[in-house]
Amino acid sequence: MNDLVFMREALKEAQKAFEANEVPVGAVLVCENRVIARGHNQVELLQDATAHAEMICLTAGAAVLKNWRLAHTTLYCTLEPCPMCAGALLSSRVERLVWAAPDLRLGANGSWIDLFAYKHPMHAIEITGKILEEEAADLMVRFFQKQRNREKKDRSSAG
């Protein structure tokens, strides 16, 4: 199944974020059964709250296609998109979204709010959720455990 293949590619991007001490979210944009763009969180690196994996991936995809309209594309993301990224997906006319793990804190496909439940005046996105959910969630759990351990170590060495 192609969804599994492409989600594994998004997980590779999430691993890059993990290794860079970024929240491990990765995304790939697929057009005609081929990855045309990749992205992973770079919020800390760029000190930019908008530098989410999806945003970086959509920008890269628009550059490849030389068009901001990303019709006939599918975005694979390891985390349910937040409201900002959901808006970007709608604005850029992505045809399909496939995500892995729910985001209880900011998920915009029903975990916190469901922006996609509202009829958009110009565009609708086909959505599939919870593809390779366990792998994506495990990466998140390991990341936040690592962060907590680092904070404990920092506190104990400061005292």
Side-chain angles (χ1 to χ4, degrees), residues 68-159:
W68 63 267
R69 292 174 190 88
L70 301 175
H72 313 296
T73 63
T74 299
L75 184 83
Y76 290 83
C77 188
T78 61
L79 189 67
E80 176 185 3
C82 72
M84 172 183 67
C85 294
L89 287 160
L90 287 165
S91 294
S92 60
R93 314 291 200 275
V94 168
E95 188 172 290
R96 185 167 179 248
L97 164 66
V98 181
W99 55 266
D103 183 353
L104 302 178
R105 193 175 52 92
L106 282 174
N109 189 211
S111 294
W112 175 57
I113 192 168
D114 194 352
L115 295 180
F116 299 106
Y118 299 95
K119 184 175 175 359
H120 189 271
M122 298 179 318
H123 187 64
I125 299 175
E126 178 189 334
I127 301 172
T128 304
K130 300 186 177 183
I131 300 294
L132 297 180
E133 176 183 5
E134 286 182 24
E135 289 91 330
D138 179 63
L139 193 57
M140 285 291 221
V141 167
R142 287 189 295 120
F143 173 78
F144 286 108
Q145 284 172 341
K146 183 176 90 168
Q147 294 301 104
R148 282 191 294 276
N149 290 340
R150 180 180 293 135
E151 289 169 11
K152 279 184 199 172
K153 198 180 285 183
D154 289 347
R155 282 194 302 271
S156 66
S157 64

Side-chain angles (χ1 to χ4, degrees), residues 46-57:
L46 301 176
Q47 288 299 296
D48 180 356
T50 69
H52 288 192
E54 302 96 320
M55 302 296 280
I56 290 166
C57 192

Side-chain angles (χ1 to χ4, degrees), residues 3-20:
D3 284 351
L4 297 175
V5 169
F6 292 127
M7 187 59 75
R8 284 190 184 97
E9 291 300 310
L11 283 164
K12 288 178 187 175
E13 290 298 312
Q15 183 64 39
K16 290 179 187 176
F18 181 94
E19 291 166 5

